[in-house]
Amino acid sequence: MDNFNDILFLVRTQGFGVLPRLLAKQLSDAGAQVAIVVDEREGSEDCAPYPKLSLEEKALAALGLTGLPENWGWLCGDMCYYVAAATMPGFSRYVLIESDVFLPALAVEPLIERLVAHPAQVMAAQLGLAAKPKRYSRGLQHFGIDPRWGCIFPLTSVQSEVIEAMRELRLAQLKRFPDAMLNDEGILAGVVAKHGFSYAALEDVVPAHVGAETFNTNPPHLFEALRDDGQERRVFHPVVEFHTVLSRLANGEKAYTRRRLRNVIRTAPEDMRNELLRRL
């Protein structure tokens, strides 16, 4: 594939382990420019050979983003766009991919090609008006925006002019309604509704690769099972490594149950499945 000089792909992560490193390599091998947006509040990360954008309060304060909620690292993924646009300006489009997204080899180039070629100013999965408001989009009502506007945030694409509109809405929320738990999904969908940006749902942009069965907010999928399937074309989210599942079972971080882990259990190799069932 050609190198796309005016598009920047961002991998959002808390560390630079197996999954984010694989994402970055797949994208760069396909000709994309890649930078890593990493939350380094718990320690510095080596993201070489990719440019690293550190996501922490000092960098955000320099952009006027203060008074952040305690859980901003999880709630406010839109901050990645503001830091990227300020630190690496000049790109016409920024594509943000979270580290728990799995791109099978057969999906990488088709996905990039469609994201780059599509004219929509904003792309995200499930983007549009829902039947009822999502929990973290309800804060949109403070700005006269229908709170049924929403999306999911694992893979989003925005043209550069959208980022400033997002930042303005986030600044207004932080200053005027600091207790409104408006998340990244609400911010992105909210500016589409407020400013009339052209938009497309990823399900329509890359229907062969993105669909609710494999690309949603739950239940998780097992990385080890997907990694070894050379025929898979679908993009998956959320994807988790086996050792992470065991860790979360031990500490209760994700309140994993047999039902929530149904995809993991169904696709896990026999030894992993037996260990999971024993721990559950």
Side-chain angles (χ1 to χ4, degrees), residues 8-266:
L8 182 62
F9 284 76
L10 305 163
V11 175
R12 174 191 180 190
T13 185
Q14 285 187 302
F16 202 52
V18 172
L19 287 173
R21 190 170 289 278
L22 175 61
L23 263 178
K25 185 176 188 305
Q26 288 177 308
L27 294 167
S28 61
D29 285 353
Q33 293 193 75
V34 179
I36 314 301
V37 187
V38 57
D39 185 339
E40 293 191 299
R41 287 175 292 169
E42 296 183 2
S44 180
E45 289 288 332
D46 180 6
C47 299
Y50 309 100
K52 179 177 73 172
L53 309 181
S54 184
L55 194 66
E56 40 80 31
E57 285 91 343
K58 184 177 180 180
L60 295 173
L63 302 176
L65 295 156
T66 58
L68 305 176
E70 184 177 350
N71 62 346
W72 68 265
W74 168 77
L75 188 76
C76 306
D78 51 303
M79 302 293 180
C80 298
Y81 278 124
Y82 315 144
V83 170
T87 308
M88 300 183 68
F91 293 92
S92 66
R93 183 184 292 277
Y94 295 79
V95 179
L96 180 63
I97 307 181
E98 296 181 349
S99 60
D100 57 350
V101 170
F102 177 76
L103 301 181
L106 295 178
V108 178
E109 292 195 5
L111 179 70
I112 294 175
E113 288 173 350
R114 294 302 299 273
L115 288 175
V116 168
H118 201 283
Q121 293 169 288
V122 180
M123 287 176 269
Q126 303 176 26
L127 177 56
L129 273 171
K132 58 182 181 180
K134 291 188 176 185
R135 177 182 178 186
Y136 294 110
S137 286
R138 290 173 183 158
L140 291 174
Q141 63 190 342
H142 294 303
F143 303 96
I145 302 171
D146 190 332
R148 293 178 299 158
W149 275 92
C151 63
I152 63 173
F153 211 71
L155 198 168
T156 55
S157 172
V158 301
Q159 291 186 1
S160 56
E161 62 269 23
V162 176
I163 296 177
E164 181 56 27
M166 292 170 65
R167 192 179 74 91
E168 290 175 358
L169 181 56
R170 176 60 80 187
L171 282 169
Q173 177 266 311
L174 291 172
K175 292 177 180 178
R176 295 170 54 196
F177 305 100
D179 295 329
M181 299 300 286
L182 186 59
N183 72 351
D184 38 33
E185 301 168 1
I187 290 289
L188 181 57
V191 298
V192 170
K194 180 179 180 181
H195 296 280
F197 292 123
S198 61
Y199 71 95
L202 283 179
E203 301 91 328
D204 298 326
V205 176
V206 281
H209 305 288
V210 174
E213 181 182 349
T214 65
F215 195 84
N216 218 315
T217 55
N218 264 304
H221 305 271
L222 182 64
F223 169 67
E224 285 81 359
L226 298 172
R227 175 193 58 196
D228 299 330
D229 187 350
Q231 301 305 308
E232 185 59 75
R233 294 178 176 271
R234 297 169 297 174
V235 179
F236 287 78
H237 176 272
V239 171
V240 64
E241 294 177 79
F242 182 66
H243 72 86
T244 303
V245 177
L246 296 184
S247 174
R248 289 173 177 173
L249 282 172
N251 62 31
E253 177 187 344
K254 291 285 186 178
Y256 279 160
T257 62
R258 186 174 296 205
R259 171 162 176 74
R260 192 170 183 183
L261 290 175
R262 59 190 180 274
N263 285 336
V264 172
I265 294 169
R266 178 176 55 83

